[in-house]
Amino acid sequence: MDHFLYKNGVLHAEDVAIPEIAAAVGTPFYVYSRATLVRHFRLFDEALKGMDHLVCYAMKAASNVALLKVLAQEGAGMDVVSGGEYARAKAAGVPGERIVFSGVGKTREEMRMALTGGIRQFNVESEPEMDVLNEVALSLGVVAPITVRVNPNVDAKTHAKIATGKSENKFGIPIAKARDVYARAAALPGLKVVGIDVHIGSQLTDLEPFRMAYRKVAELTELLRADGHEISRLDLGGGLGIPYTRSNEAPPLPLDWGQVIREEVGHLGCQVEIEPGRLIAGNAGLLVSQVIYVKEGEGRRFLILDAAMNDLVRPAMYDAHHDIVPVMEPAPGVEEAPMDVVGPVCESGDTFAKGRDLPPVAAEDLVAFRSAGAYGAVMASEYNTRPLIPEVLVDGDHFAVIRARPSFDEMIKRDTIPEWL
Ligand SMILES: *Cc1c(COP(=O)(O)O)cnc(C)c1O
């Protein structure tokens, strides 16, 4: 459920009419609903009620500091994958003890930053990383709390570009090697083993792969404990999928996922961390765009928008589907016709949808992409020297720009011409 509904024939974000925001900030823009973000966070928090747990929002899904602050105020921890994300979490007021650091390629600089600023744990992904983290921690005179990310070799049955839990993926260490790797970690004085980490992929719409992975983690917990390691924390990753079409998808709910977690690891007495990203932010955001032209092609009709692949890359990158709806509610029973929805960028890949059945839309109409809150704004680029588009946060009947659109001057000033030119 989200808070983007038609009221009196006009699409609203909570109690704010989308055209009102468009008039204030121009198009295209991203708009987020605070109530939806909070609602989704609480679904996870409640799904683990009664267990010692922390929901660490995977902020790579949507990392505007204002969004982070909304979640931090709810008690969320953060899962970060870079020094930049760590800095954002801190800027949003998240204390270090609620930040976990994931990622296969953490640099010394990033490790130093987190060790001095405070960190809950590093989710270590390789033996070389373990050695480097040990060195960095010793050089700072501290001990780094770690989990080791294990790769359980389960098929997440999701898009190949976002599957991470098979042996062929770059993530984690093979679960079969885990006992050796933990023995090695325990021997390094700059590290303290606190638990196990696993994350098998994103946009999972079936609970079975989670169950298989968590079962393997539970077995490993017993083994590692028998080897003398203190396993008090399990980071079970994120990855729960969202419905991208209103009509026919019904992925499992956080509560169902929580049930799987209880069943598979509940008996171990561990503190449980989860790292949902997409499900918290995805349906909490829209991309709003204006139609520039309706162009009649040979046997096709093109809807040319002012948003493009640089603003929302998911369709070009993952063949992802986003529902596209007119901001003015179509009359009931109005006839739909197929259109190719495209942006102005000079690439055929700049296509949001092919042959999509849409109600009649004309130049200057506003349209909204649903489910654009996660992996939308964060993946945007300035390709074609198109400015990064504004982000807007709605709370009830008011809204605020939480990232302004840069001017062309501001963009161009970042380039510098050498004095010898
Ligand atoms: C991307 C990622 C997540 C979040 O995945 P979602 O599908 O957005 O929930 C969580 N943990 C790690 C390690 C990730 O890389």
Side-chain angles (χ1 to χ4, degrees), residues 44 56 58-61 79 81 102-103 123 125 149 162 164 171 197-199 201-204 235 237-241 274-280 374-375:
F44 284 106
C56 294
M59 63 179 272
K60 73 177 192 275
D79 172 39
V81 293
S102 301
N123 295 328
E125 300 223 16
R149 177 169 175 180
I162 49 176
T164 60
F171 299 98
D197 171 49
V198 70
H199 170 75
S202 195
Q203 188 51 20
L204 272 71
D235 182 337
L240 194 59
I274 54 172
E275 303 168 343
R278 188 187 307 268
L279 206 149
I280 289 180
Y375 306 105

mmCIF file of all heavy atoms in Angstrom, residues 44 56 58-61 79 81 102-103 123 125 149 162 164 171 197-199 201-204 235 237-241 274-280 374-375, ligand 1:
data_model
loop_
_atom_site.group_PDB
_atom_site.id
_atom_site.type_symbol
_atom_site.label_atom_id
_atom_site.label_comp_id
_atom_site.label_asym_id
_atom_site.label_seq_id
_atom_site.Cartn_x
_atom_site.Cartn_y
_atom_site.Cartn_z
ATOM 1 N N PHE A 44 8.521 -4.041 8.632
ATOM 2 C CA PHE A 44 9.674 -4.905 8.926
ATOM 3 C C PHE A 44 9.929 -4.989 10.428
ATOM 4 O O PHE A 44 10.212 -6.051 10.963
ATOM 5 C CB PHE A 44 10.928 -4.395 8.214
ATOM 6 C CG PHE A 44 10.936 -4.702 6.743
ATOM 7 C CD1 PHE A 44 10.704 -3.717 5.806
ATOM 8 C CD2 PHE A 44 11.166 -5.994 6.302
ATOM 9 C CE1 PHE A 44 10.704 -4.009 4.457
ATOM 10 C CE2 PHE A 44 11.168 -6.304 4.951
ATOM 11 C CZ PHE A 44 10.932 -5.301 4.023
ATOM 12 N N CYS A 56 18.203 -2.527 9.375
ATOM 13 C CA CYS A 56 19.201 -1.608 8.810
ATOM 14 C C CYS A 56 18.808 -1.321 7.376
ATOM 15 O O CYS A 56 19.003 -2.163 6.488
ATOM 16 C CB CYS A 56 20.598 -2.238 8.851
ATOM 17 S SG CYS A 56 21.207 -2.490 10.524
ATOM 18 N N ALA A 58 18.869 -0.509 3.738
ATOM 19 C CA ALA A 58 19.934 -0.545 2.723
ATOM 20 C C ALA A 58 19.825 0.734 1.917
ATOM 21 O O ALA A 58 19.055 0.830 0.969
ATOM 22 C CB ALA A 58 19.792 -1.776 1.818
ATOM 23 N N MET A 59 20.615 1.714 2.301
ATOM 24 C CA MET A 59 20.383 3.054 1.778
ATOM 25 C C MET A 59 20.805 3.239 0.342
ATOM 26 O O MET A 59 20.514 4.274 -0.245
ATOM 27 C CB MET A 59 21.044 4.090 2.687
ATOM 28 C CG MET A 59 22.541 3.969 2.768
ATOM 29 S SD MET A 59 23.194 5.275 3.859
ATOM 30 C CE MET A 59 23.388 6.567 2.652
ATOM 31 N N LYS A 60 21.421 2.229 -0.274
ATOM 32 C CA LYS A 60 21.731 2.409 -1.685
ATOM 33 C C LYS A 60 20.454 2.502 -2.511
ATOM 34 O O LYS A 60 20.446 3.009 -3.616
ATOM 35 C CB LYS A 60 22.644 1.283 -2.196
ATOM 36 C CG LYS A 60 21.990 -0.068 -2.380
ATOM 37 C CD LYS A 60 23.042 -1.038 -2.980
ATOM 38 C CE LYS A 60 22.438 -2.331 -3.487
ATOM 39 N NZ LYS A 60 22.292 -3.330 -2.404
ATOM 40 N N ALA A 61 19.309 2.058 -1.946
ATOM 41 C CA ALA A 61 18.032 2.112 -2.684
ATOM 42 C C ALA A 61 17.555 3.548 -2.878
ATOM 43 O O ALA A 61 16.961 3.870 -3.914
ATOM 44 C CB ALA A 61 16.971 1.305 -1.941
ATOM 45 N N ASP A 79 22.399 0.188 6.386
ATOM 46 C CA ASP A 79 23.383 -0.659 5.716
ATOM 47 C C ASP A 79 24.035 0.200 4.652
ATOM 48 O O ASP A 79 23.348 0.677 3.746
ATOM 49 C CB ASP A 79 22.678 -1.871 5.092
ATOM 50 C CG ASP A 79 23.594 -2.691 4.208
ATOM 51 O OD1 ASP A 79 24.775 -2.857 4.564
ATOM 52 O OD2 ASP A 79 23.136 -3.173 3.149
ATOM 53 N N VAL A 81 27.321 0.904 1.804
ATOM 54 C CA VAL A 81 28.248 0.162 0.940
ATOM 55 C C VAL A 81 29.383 1.039 0.411
ATOM 56 O O VAL A 81 30.103 0.640 -0.500
ATOM 57 C CB VAL A 81 27.506 -0.506 -0.248
ATOM 58 C CG1 VAL A 81 26.573 -1.599 0.257
ATOM 59 C CG2 VAL A 81 26.721 0.513 -1.068
ATOM 60 N N SER A 102 28.645 -2.936 4.349
ATOM 61 C CA SER A 102 28.693 -4.066 3.417
ATOM 62 C C SER A 102 29.496 -3.687 2.173
ATOM 63 O O SER A 102 29.852 -2.522 1.994
ATOM 64 C CB SER A 102 27.270 -4.465 2.976
ATOM 65 O OG SER A 102 26.475 -4.813 4.075
ATOM 66 N N GLY A 103 29.726 -4.665 1.299
ATOM 67 C CA GLY A 103 30.376 -4.369 0.021
ATOM 68 C C GLY A 103 31.655 -5.144 -0.179
ATOM 69 O O GLY A 103 32.397 -5.375 0.768
ATOM 70 N N ASN A 123 30.643 -6.161 7.362
ATOM 71 C CA ASN A 123 30.325 -7.453 6.769
ATOM 72 C C ASN A 123 31.432 -7.750 5.770
ATOM 73 O O ASN A 123 31.470 -7.207 4.666
ATOM 74 C CB ASN A 123 28.952 -7.409 6.092
ATOM 75 C CG ASN A 123 27.828 -7.195 7.110
ATOM 76 O OD1 ASN A 123 27.927 -7.648 8.259
ATOM 77 N ND2 ASN A 123 26.782 -6.519 6.707
ATOM 78 N N GLU A 125 33.850 -9.586 3.143
ATOM 79 C CA GLU A 125 33.484 -10.422 1.996
ATOM 80 C C GLU A 125 34.628 -11.255 1.425
ATOM 81 O O GLU A 125 34.419 -11.996 0.465
ATOM 82 C CB GLU A 125 32.893 -9.547 0.884
ATOM 83 C CG GLU A 125 31.644 -8.792 1.321
ATOM 84 C CD GLU A 125 30.536 -8.807 0.285
ATOM 85 O OE1 GLU A 125 30.589 -9.639 -0.647
ATOM 86 O OE2 GLU A 125 29.617 -7.993 0.423
ATOM 87 N N ARG A 149 30.505 -12.429 5.298
ATOM 88 C CA ARG A 149 29.377 -12.686 4.389
ATOM 89 C C ARG A 149 29.612 -14.013 3.691
ATOM 90 O O ARG A 149 30.622 -14.209 3.023
ATOM 91 C CB ARG A 149 29.246 -11.575 3.351
ATOM 92 C CG ARG A 149 28.124 -11.842 2.350
ATOM 93 C CD ARG A 149 27.835 -10.624 1.518
ATOM 94 N NE ARG A 149 26.845 -10.885 0.488
ATOM 95 C CZ ARG A 149 26.418 -9.965 -0.369
ATOM 96 N NH1 ARG A 149 26.900 -8.743 -0.311
ATOM 97 N NH2 ARG A 149 25.524 -10.266 -1.281
ATOM 98 N N ILE A 162 20.889 -8.789 -10.454
ATOM 99 C CA ILE A 162 20.705 -8.517 -9.025
ATOM 100 C C ILE A 162 20.640 -9.793 -8.187
ATOM 101 O O ILE A 162 20.205 -9.780 -7.055
ATOM 102 C CB ILE A 162 19.471 -7.608 -8.764
ATOM 103 C CG1 ILE A 162 18.232 -8.127 -9.492
ATOM 104 C CG2 ILE A 162 19.780 -6.169 -9.169
ATOM 105 C CD1 ILE A 162 16.971 -7.327 -9.207
ATOM 106 N N THR A 164 22.834 -12.457 -6.125
ATOM 107 C CA THR A 164 24.161 -12.349 -5.494
ATOM 108 C C THR A 164 24.548 -13.588 -4.694
ATOM 109 O O THR A 164 25.630 -13.618 -4.116
ATOM 110 C CB THR A 164 24.191 -11.133 -4.527
ATOM 111 O OG1 THR A 164 23.195 -11.329 -3.523
ATOM 112 C CG2 THR A 164 23.916 -9.831 -5.238
ATOM 113 N N PHE A 171 30.088 -12.104 -4.665
ATOM 114 C CA PHE A 171 29.810 -11.735 -3.278
ATOM 115 C C PHE A 171 30.115 -12.831 -2.261
ATOM 116 O O PHE A 171 29.838 -14.004 -2.497
ATOM 117 C CB PHE A 171 28.341 -11.326 -3.145
ATOM 118 C CG PHE A 171 28.002 -10.141 -3.996
ATOM 119 C CD1 PHE A 171 27.410 -10.307 -5.237
ATOM 120 C CD2 PHE A 171 28.325 -8.869 -3.575
ATOM 121 C CE1 PHE A 171 27.133 -9.212 -6.034
ATOM 122 C CE2 PHE A 171 28.051 -7.775 -4.360
ATOM 123 C CZ PHE A 171 27.448 -7.947 -5.603
ATOM 124 N N ASP A 197 26.852 -13.122 8.042
ATOM 125 C CA ASP A 197 26.068 -12.259 7.155
ATOM 126 C C ASP A 197 25.733 -13.010 5.871
ATOM 127 O O ASP A 197 26.555 -13.786 5.362
ATOM 128 C CB ASP A 197 26.897 -11.011 6.820
ATOM 129 C CG ASP A 197 26.263 -10.141 5.739
ATOM 130 O OD1 ASP A 197 25.055 -9.840 5.840
ATOM 131 O OD2 ASP A 197 26.984 -9.744 4.801
ATOM 132 N N VAL A 198 24.537 -12.762 5.355
ATOM 133 C CA VAL A 198 24.159 -13.357 4.074
ATOM 134 C C VAL A 198 23.196 -12.410 3.379
ATOM 135 O O VAL A 198 22.405 -11.725 4.034
ATOM 136 C CB VAL A 198 23.499 -14.764 4.282
ATOM 137 C CG1 VAL A 198 22.113 -14.667 4.926
ATOM 138 C CG2 VAL A 198 23.399 -15.549 2.976
ATOM 139 N N HIS A 199 23.334 -12.302 2.048
ATOM 140 C CA HIS A 199 22.375 -11.514 1.250
ATOM 141 C C HIS A 199 22.381 -12.138 -0.135
ATOM 142 O O HIS A 199 23.415 -12.161 -0.796
ATOM 143 C CB HIS A 199 22.789 -10.036 1.204
ATOM 144 C CG HIS A 199 21.999 -9.235 0.216
ATOM 145 N ND1 HIS A 199 20.690 -8.844 0.464
ATOM 146 C CD2 HIS A 199 22.291 -8.765 -1.021
ATOM 147 C CE1 HIS A 199 20.232 -8.167 -0.584
ATOM 148 N NE2 HIS A 199 21.190 -8.100 -1.489
ATOM 149 N N GLY A 201 20.282 -11.583 -2.913
ATOM 150 C CA GLY A 201 19.867 -10.897 -4.134
ATOM 151 C C GLY A 201 18.717 -9.964 -3.856
ATOM 152 O O GLY A 201 18.317 -9.774 -2.707
ATOM 153 N N SER A 202 18.206 -9.377 -4.910
ATOM 154 C CA SER A 202 17.200 -8.331 -4.778
ATOM 155 C C SER A 202 15.986 -8.665 -5.633
ATOM 156 O O SER A 202 16.087 -9.424 -6.599
ATOM 157 C CB SER A 202 17.822 -7.009 -5.235
ATOM 158 O OG SER A 202 17.059 -5.905 -4.826
ATOM 159 N N GLN A 203 14.861 -8.057 -5.241
ATOM 160 C CA GLN A 203 13.583 -8.268 -5.945
ATOM 161 C C GLN A 203 13.207 -9.762 -5.965
ATOM 162 O O GLN A 203 12.791 -10.310 -6.978
ATOM 163 C CB GLN A 203 13.631 -7.656 -7.367
ATOM 164 C CG GLN A 203 12.296 -7.632 -8.152
ATOM 165 C CD GLN A 203 11.115 -7.032 -7.383
ATOM 166 O OE1 GLN A 203 11.296 -6.317 -6.437
ATOM 167 N NE2 GLN A 203 9.909 -7.356 -7.783
ATOM 168 N N LEU A 204 13.369 -10.419 -4.815
ATOM 169 C CA LEU A 204 12.941 -11.817 -4.681
ATOM 170 C C LEU A 204 11.432 -11.845 -4.409
ATOM 171 O O LEU A 204 10.935 -11.113 -3.554
ATOM 172 C CB LEU A 204 13.664 -12.501 -3.519
ATOM 173 C CG LEU A 204 15.004 -13.139 -3.862
ATOM 174 C CD1 LEU A 204 16.053 -12.088 -4.126
ATOM 175 C CD2 LEU A 204 15.455 -14.063 -2.743
ATOM 176 N N ASP A 235 23.172 -11.308 10.316
ATOM 177 C CA ASP A 235 22.686 -10.292 9.385
ATOM 178 C C ASP A 235 22.119 -11.060 8.193
ATOM 179 O O ASP A 235 22.853 -11.726 7.464
ATOM 180 C CB ASP A 235 23.841 -9.380 8.965
ATOM 181 C CG ASP A 235 23.370 -8.266 8.029
ATOM 182 O OD1 ASP A 235 22.319 -8.445 7.373
ATOM 183 O OD2 ASP A 235 24.048 -7.232 7.954
ATOM 184 N N GLY A 237 20.454 -9.889 5.549
ATOM 185 C CA GLY A 237 20.375 -9.201 4.266
ATOM 186 C C GLY A 237 19.005 -8.619 3.975
ATOM 187 O O GLY A 237 18.142 -8.508 4.847
ATOM 188 N N GLY A 238 18.843 -8.229 2.705
ATOM 189 C CA GLY A 238 17.567 -7.661 2.260
ATOM 190 C C GLY A 238 17.047 -8.482 1.100
ATOM 191 O O GLY A 238 17.254 -9.686 1.065
ATOM 192 N N GLY A 239 16.390 -7.803 0.180
ATOM 193 C CA GLY A 239 16.044 -8.474 -1.066
ATOM 194 C C GLY A 239 14.591 -8.783 -1.306
ATOM 195 O O GLY A 239 14.230 -9.274 -2.388
ATOM 196 N N LEU A 240 13.738 -8.514 -0.312
ATOM 197 C CA LEU A 240 12.327 -8.822 -0.541
ATOM 198 C C LEU A 240 11.777 -7.926 -1.657
ATOM 199 O O LEU A 240 11.977 -6.716 -1.636
ATOM 200 C CB LEU A 240 11.549 -8.627 0.765
ATOM 201 C CG LEU A 240 10.142 -9.220 0.806
ATOM 202 C CD1 LEU A 240 10.169 -10.725 0.568
ATOM 203 C CD2 LEU A 240 9.469 -8.923 2.144
ATOM 204 N N GLY A 241 11.087 -8.538 -2.610
ATOM 205 C CA GLY A 241 10.623 -7.820 -3.802
ATOM 206 C C GLY A 241 9.349 -7.031 -3.565
ATOM 207 O O GLY A 241 8.651 -7.215 -2.574
ATOM 208 N N ILE A 274 18.313 -7.180 9.604
ATOM 209 C CA ILE A 274 17.897 -7.311 8.205
ATOM 210 C C ILE A 274 18.209 -6.008 7.492
ATOM 211 O O ILE A 274 18.322 -4.958 8.128
ATOM 212 C CB ILE A 274 16.398 -7.671 8.056
ATOM 213 C CG1 ILE A 274 15.516 -6.682 8.814
ATOM 214 C CG2 ILE A 274 16.150 -9.104 8.510
ATOM 215 C CD1 ILE A 274 14.022 -6.871 8.532
ATOM 216 N N GLU A 275 18.353 -6.101 6.176
ATOM 217 C CA GLU A 275 18.789 -4.951 5.380
ATOM 218 C C GLU A 275 17.856 -4.700 4.208
ATOM 219 O O GLU A 275 18.270 -4.768 3.049
ATOM 220 C CB GLU A 275 20.194 -5.212 4.819
ATOM 221 C CG GLU A 275 21.272 -5.524 5.826
ATOM 222 C CD GLU A 275 22.558 -6.053 5.176
ATOM 223 O OE1 GLU A 275 22.535 -6.492 4.000
ATOM 224 O OE2 GLU A 275 23.577 -6.028 5.862
ATOM 225 N N PRO A 276 16.580 -4.430 4.449
ATOM 226 C CA PRO A 276 15.693 -4.169 3.310
ATOM 227 C C PRO A 276 15.949 -2.781 2.719
ATOM 228 O O PRO A 276 16.202 -1.829 3.468
ATOM 229 C CB PRO A 276 14.296 -4.235 3.938
ATOM 230 C CG PRO A 276 14.496 -3.893 5.382
ATOM 231 C CD PRO A 276 15.897 -4.323 5.749
ATOM 232 N N GLY A 277 15.936 -2.682 1.423
ATOM 233 C CA GLY A 277 16.069 -1.385 0.753
ATOM 234 C C GLY A 277 14.854 -1.120 -0.120
ATOM 235 O O GLY A 277 14.025 -0.267 0.167
ATOM 236 N N ARG A 278 14.752 -1.924 -1.164
ATOM 237 C CA ARG A 278 13.701 -1.725 -2.167
ATOM 238 C C ARG A 278 12.303 -1.682 -1.559
ATOM 239 O O ARG A 278 11.473 -0.851 -1.915
ATOM 240 C CB ARG A 278 13.770 -2.867 -3.191
ATOM 241 C CG ARG A 278 12.864 -2.695 -4.387
ATOM 242 C CD ARG A 278 12.874 -3.957 -5.266
ATOM 243 N NE ARG A 278 14.213 -4.373 -5.649
ATOM 244 C CZ ARG A 278 14.829 -3.992 -6.774
ATOM 245 N NH1 ARG A 278 14.218 -3.196 -7.614
ATOM 246 N NH2 ARG A 278 16.044 -4.414 -7.057
ATOM 247 N N LEU A 279 12.034 -2.579 -0.625
ATOM 248 C CA LEU A 279 10.662 -2.641 -0.134
ATOM 249 C C LEU A 279 10.320 -1.436 0.744
ATOM 250 O O LEU A 279 9.168 -1.071 0.905
ATOM 251 C CB LEU A 279 10.380 -3.946 0.607
ATOM 252 C CG LEU A 279 8.891 -4.330 0.578
ATOM 253 C CD1 LEU A 279 8.693 -5.834 0.585
ATOM 254 C CD2 LEU A 279 8.107 -3.707 1.713
ATOM 255 N N ILE A 280 11.321 -0.803 1.305
ATOM 256 C CA ILE A 280 11.031 0.395 2.104
ATOM 257 C C ILE A 280 10.810 1.608 1.191
ATOM 258 O O ILE A 280 9.859 2.364 1.367
ATOM 259 C CB ILE A 280 12.156 0.644 3.130
ATOM 260 C CG1 ILE A 280 12.063 -0.432 4.224
ATOM 261 C CG2 ILE A 280 12.055 2.051 3.732
ATOM 262 C CD1 ILE A 280 13.110 -0.335 5.314
ATOM 263 N N ALA A 374 12.864 3.394 -5.244
ATOM 264 C CA ALA A 374 14.114 2.671 -4.990
ATOM 265 C C ALA A 374 14.887 2.488 -6.290
ATOM 266 O O ALA A 374 14.302 2.141 -7.315
ATOM 267 C CB ALA A 374 13.829 1.307 -4.362
ATOM 268 N N TYR A 375 16.198 2.678 -6.223
ATOM 269 C CA TYR A 375 17.074 2.516 -7.384
ATOM 270 C C TYR A 375 16.612 3.425 -8.528
ATOM 271 O O TYR A 375 16.724 3.078 -9.704
ATOM 272 C CB TYR A 375 17.155 1.033 -7.807
ATOM 273 C CG TYR A 375 17.568 0.147 -6.643
ATOM 274 C CD1 TYR A 375 16.652 -0.663 -5.977
ATOM 275 C CD2 TYR A 375 18.869 0.190 -6.170
ATOM 276 C CE1 TYR A 375 17.022 -1.425 -4.876
ATOM 277 C CE2 TYR A 375 19.252 -0.574 -5.068
ATOM 278 C CZ TYR A 375 18.320 -1.376 -4.430
ATOM 279 O OH TYR A 375 18.704 -2.129 -3.347
HETATM 280 C C1 LIG B 1 21.373 -4.199 -2.213
HETATM 281 C C2 LIG B 1 21.591 -4.810 -0.903
HETATM 282 C C3 LIG B 1 20.560 -4.866 0.026
HETATM 283 C C4 LIG B 1 19.169 -4.375 -0.252
HETATM 284 O O1 LIG B 1 18.492 -5.113 -1.227
HETATM 285 P P1 LIG B 1 16.963 -4.755 -1.530
HETATM 286 O O2 LIG B 1 16.597 -5.668 -2.622
HETATM 287 O O3 LIG B 1 16.938 -3.329 -1.951
HETATM 288 O O4 LIG B 1 16.189 -4.994 -0.292
HETATM 289 C C5 LIG B 1 20.836 -5.397 1.269
HETATM 290 N N1 LIG B 1 22.060 -5.867 1.592
HETATM 291 C C6 LIG B 1 23.082 -5.827 0.704
HETATM 292 C C7 LIG B 1 24.403 -6.361 1.121
HETATM 293 C C8 LIG B 1 22.888 -5.302 -0.560
HETATM 294 O O5 LIG B 1 23.902 -5.278 -1.430
#
